[in-house]
Amino acid sequence: MMVTTKDFHVFSKQGQAYLFLAEPVAIFKIDDDTAHVVQMVEQGKPLSGEFEHQRWEEASGFMARYCQKAPKARNMRGPEDISERVSGIYLFLSQKCNLKCAYCYGDEGEYGRRGTMKEEVLNGSFERFFNDGLDKYFITFFGGEPLMNLPMMEKAAKLAEEYRRNGCADISMGIVTNGTLYSDKIKKFFDNHIDDVTFSLDGPKELNDPQRVSKNGDSVYDTATENIRKLTEDGKFNWAFRTIVTSRGCDKVEEIYDHLNQFGAGGVGVVNVDVPPESPLYLSDEQYRHFVDQIIAVNRKGLRTFVDGGQAVAFEYPFYIMFYFISRSHALYHCNAGTNLLAVTAEGDVYPCHRFVGDEAFNMGNVRDPELKKSEQFQRIRQRFIHETVDNRAGCKECWARYLCGGSCAKYSYAEHGDTAPPVERHCLYIKSVVEELLPEMVAIMENPEEKQAIMRRLAAAVSNRYGTRGIDAHVS
């Protein structure tokens, strides 16, 4: 086997050098001299002298032998695993919203076409995607603010029960909501029908309210936090926060996390704002690097909490990286968008995911069409997403971190490059920074037999529902 620079990476943390091998997903402690030589090769610098050449021959030989003998990493999900089945959809019940968030990418929730979903579209969505009687499915109610169309949500629950009773499909339901709407009817619906809730809130009141603004002038923070407490007090569904960090809060990530975590959420997802560079909310390069540093710091603290039996910090990428590493798995895709996960608008138009809604280049057809899934348009766009594994994406296939990453969001790539394949530079910085900072923490944990078993058990339990995993194996040398 010929070792190339995409197969390995050398980095140092707290005076210790590490060698990471991409294909078998393995990491090794190495001495400084070896690290220096291997890093020169990785960076394309010429070697000089007998010592450097001999040390590279020894290092490359070890890497080649290990990669040949080590158990092959398994693909979490490859093209061969993707069937015609669509397992989940975002239902845009309401393309209107009672808020006017300063950073909204969906035209205040209207996505260029204000309206609410009708029963014809709801029925068509079920008929097109949930009629094969296979395994489990999920719906995420989305908007706008989906609770502005509660009657259609209730009809969806009734329809899901009919499908379950008739053996057509077992459908679970979730919702993404701003939390500002509440009634006894909403509370009852959540308790009886909702499995997972994501509440959108951007931290303490002084950070949240200037950028998440109510159209009626009320404090979004005050209204939402009061409603969230009432909705979640019985603990009948899983729930988490989703928060957006802008230039106003880019130096307060830990404060935001700690504030939201006190509500008892099952997780706090924190992402940087998606706005044009000219926006006052945009994070400069310096601010973004500081944002990533804070994400790492909070996850380092959360990793220890997780090992000790507490709640995992729900910053998606670090958690997934940890899972891919410890289970020796390859992430070939960023997510399921365009393949097993789609979005349906209020008018019934189908898109690869909620982020693509409104971009007609990615309109896959309409659920009113009985032949939707067989249409050229639907299959062409779907095959595009199936094809774009990290091994096929320009800018990803030569990257040492590709299998711990899966590539950047296709929509973000398209917005930046006009192409869904090339990665977004900031995403690459995020992933590589997390890997270099947190994998040494994982090495220390895996060297302790009791902690190794504890984290393997906890990770297996945490991902079993999401991935269908029945157990994980790990290796650290």
Side-chain angles (χ1 to χ4, degrees), residues 54-70:
Q54 182 178 348
R55 185 57 59 94
W56 168 244
E57 183 178 345
E58 293 170 351
S60 61
F62 164 77
M63 288 188 278
R65 289 190 300 273
Y66 185 86
C67 290
Q68 286 178 333
K69 293 180 179 179

Side-chain angles (χ1 to χ4, degrees), residues 77-85 333 339-340 382 385-386:
R77 176 175 170 271
E80 67 281 359
D81 301 314
I82 300 174
S83 67
E84 290 297 315
R85 176 174 175 262
Y333 296 101
T339 58
N340 305 126
R382 190 167 183 274
F385 281 82
I386 292 174

